[in-house]
Amino acid sequence: MACIVFVGNCNFRCSYCHNPCLVFDPESQPLIREDNIYRFLEKRRGRLDGIVISGGEPSLRPRLPEFAARVKSLGFLVKIDTNGSNPGLVREMRGRGCVDALGIDYKAPSFKYNQIAGSNLSDIWERTRSLIQFAAENGIHTDVRTTVHKDMLSQEDLAVMRKELSEMGQEDWTLQQFNPAEILDDKLKEAPTYSDKELMDIARSLGPRTYVRGLRGFFLTGHPSKAQSV
Ligand code: SF4
């Protein structure tokens, strides 16, 4: 059982982003002071296991390690959701023992990574690759996930991504159903995309450790934790 803290700002511009207010207008969201978060957690010892720090992109915050270390010192687990653009900061946090789990977006095959992420960082795929590889090599519990829209990722693209992830040592991979709610690029809402069944068929064709998460957050195929416990 965890609570989630959302932070503002992001260095990517994914068309399907469903937190555009955090990307473009973080000031529009309520500000929660750090002290209030610590007080909130202190009152929930024994009821909450941990905290997920999500966004936006948390790794853009230079003070993230200090914040996470303080949360850990209160006795809570810490998970960081990241777009993979700042592997150095996450490595530092792991070295300091203040991150227990990761959620890493793997947005596209290497040859179209910048296009899908809306990033002009020339080494963005390489940064993400190095973080996924680091997580796999160090046995960090990691949810590697990809939001899938037909207009952006073909079945051939997904097959390339499956191969790339396996080469990084990452076997568990979750395809997330596109959520048309509030997104960055409204044109995507009009374009046809994969049904749940099509996505499940694609996942099955990619091997037993590729999963599908539906719109309500539940797994539509097997669950990665079952694969890990075998
Ligand atoms: S989906 Fe994530 S990485 Fe992409 S723009 Fe939104 S917050 Fe940033």
Side-chain angles (χ1 to χ4, degrees), residues 216-229:
R216 298 181 66 198
F218 296 112
F219 281 88
L220 305 178
T221 58
H223 188 281
S225 63
K226 292 195 178 123
Q228 283 164 358
S229 63

Side-chain angles (χ1 to χ4, degrees), residues 10 12-14 17 23 56 83 105 107:
C10 186
F12 285 9
R13 293 292 181 270
C14 314
C17 179
V23 176
N83 63 21
D105 296 344
K107 301 214 171 266

Side-chain angles (χ1 to χ4, degrees), residues 9-20 22-23 55-57 82-83 105 107 116-117 147 184:
N9 299 307
C10 186
N11 49 352
F12 285 9
R13 293 292 181 270
C14 314
S15 310
Y16 51 71
C17 179
H18 63 268
N19 280 336
L22 286 174
V23 176
E57 178 49 40
T82 176
N83 63 21
D105 296 344
K107 301 214 171 266
I116 301 295
T147 298
L184 212 147

